[in-house]
Amino acid sequence: MAGEPQSDCLFCKIAQGEVPATIVRETETTVAFRDINPQAPTHVLVIPRLHHPDAASLAAAAPGVAADVLREAGEVAAQEKIQDSGYRIVFNTGTGAGQTVFHAHAHVLGGRGLNWPPG
């Protein structure tokens, strides 16, 4: 059920401390940790502690928590000192867009040039 921890969800397990991760920030509603397959010098994932399969589902069910994820993405950028050089916040939704863990999460990417269009 959305909003409840899922026993088969890697990110739920990270949020609950059951699976180790390199945590860079935590709040009551979010956890931010380094991506294990970084695509940029800074690549941090910001997840809600609540389980929702993607960003749209999170925003519809818990808009305040969705805002917390975005706010924390900005805090990660500041902490990682990429806020002035620029950074990207990416939400992949669905397998066709590259989503591999179906728990809403934002990728915070920076520390190198990020071309447009992506992909």
Side-chain angles (χ1 to χ4, degrees):
M1 170 177 265
E4 299 295 323
Q6 305 293 303
S7 62
D8 62 344
C9 176
L10 174 64
F11 288 176
C12 285
K13 291 177 182 179
I14 289 172
Q16 294 174 351
E18 296 173 8
V19 170
T22 304
I23 307 291
V24 299
R25 291 184 60 83
E26 287 188 83
T27 70
E28 183 178 313
T29 59
T30 66
V31 178
F33 55 94
R34 299 209 183 277
D35 194 295
I36 61 169
N37 184 26
Q39 301 300 304
T42 296
H43 189 168
V44 174
L45 302 179
V46 181
I47 67 169
R49 290 185 184 272
L50 298 173
H51 181 87
H52 293 278
D54 56 46
S57 299
L58 172 64
V65 176
D68 292 347
V69 169
L70 285 172
R71 183 175 29 260
E72 280 304 302
E75 292 297 330
V76 165
Q79 180 177 305
E80 298 287 316
K81 300 183 179 4
I82 59 171
Q83 77 276 15
D84 293 334
S85 60
Y87 60 97
R88 187 171 288 161
I89 302 170
V90 176
F91 290 91
N92 297 325
T93 301
T95 56
Q99 186 177 10
T100 58
V101 177
F102 292 88
H103 181 119
H105 58 284
H107 296 257
V108 181
L109 299 147
R112 68 167 173 84
L114 299 169
N115 297 325
W116 193 260

